[in-house]
Amino acid sequence: MVVLFITAMLAGMFNAIAGGGSFLTFPMLIVLGFPAVEANATSTIGLWFGILTSAYTYRKFLIDPAQSAVSRKALLGFAGVSLLGGTIGALLLLRLPERIFTGLVPYLMLFAATLFTFNPVINQWLKSGGRSGQLPTVMALGLQLMIAIYGGYFGGGASILMLAVMSFMGLTQIHAMNGMKCWLGAIMNTVAIALFITAGKIVWLPAMIMAIGSTIGAYTSATIAQKVSPKMLRRIIVAIAWAMTIYLFWKASH
């Protein structure tokens, strides 16, 4: 329980500053012996409170039209497709045989770890004009739907995908983009959590301990961010993500 609390607190900090908190909590639950689906559901609700806390700290970038990344109408559209996608993803996780998700876990972690590792390169390419024109809102909504399905099913790296789509839309206000990312992430996970609770897939004691830890981590992240280099945090997360990915492949082969 102590290990889970510290892991969740670090995950809450990482999510608020650099992202990648699920690289800590989900594999840690696997290491501690929880089944894959229960580990995913428990990790989701454990980090959800921290994501809500982060979204609250960015609230002015969502409420104030002058600082928001997109219009109120577009934001509601993104919220709607995130709700729908999160529902579909969670239902896929719960309805498909558990062995499918268990078999996919190492590959999902590999995809998420690769995405997180090369995120700075992707961002640099986007900023340097690698995209031609701006992505229409309708297409962006379609991409957000697919990201939300992935988020409801597994979720690792979903925030990076959302930021990439926003960049393709021509958005550049990083705080507004982070606020929108946290808000949409909280929405897609809310419906997933409701389904996980209904299906009895959440292990409650670890979930509550992780919820407290991730909330404290997210709340104190502003102070930590001023003292710790985000680049250093990214390197730590990348190292942990690849270590956990290698471990999951090793475990799957034995």
Side-chain angles (χ1 to χ4, degrees), residues 15 47-63 68-83 144 148 159 162-163 166 174-191:
N15 276 341
L47 293 181
W48 182 72
F49 291 92
I51 293 172
L52 279 180
T53 303
S54 297
Y56 178 76
T57 62
Y58 286 110
R59 64 191 181 281
K60 68 178 181 180
F61 296 102
L62 297 170
I63 298 173
S68 178
V70 296
S71 67
R72 185 63 57 83
K73 183 178 179 180
L75 184 60
L76 290 175
F78 277 101
V81 297
S82 297
L83 190 66
Q144 178 62 24
S159 61
M162 285 191 280
L163 289 175
M166 293 177 206
I174 188 60
H175 292 306
M177 292 164 67
N178 271 330
M180 186 171 169
K181 173 203 71 178
C182 291
W183 166 246
L184 297 178
I187 289 175
M188 71 176 70
N189 284 332
T190 296
V191 66

Side-chain angles (χ1 to χ4, degrees), residues 156-175:
S159 61
I160 297 168
L161 292 171
M162 285 191 280
L163 289 175
V165 169
M166 293 177 206
S167 296
F168 276 113
M169 291 174 65
L171 306 180
T172 57
Q173 230 180 333
I174 188 60
H175 292 306

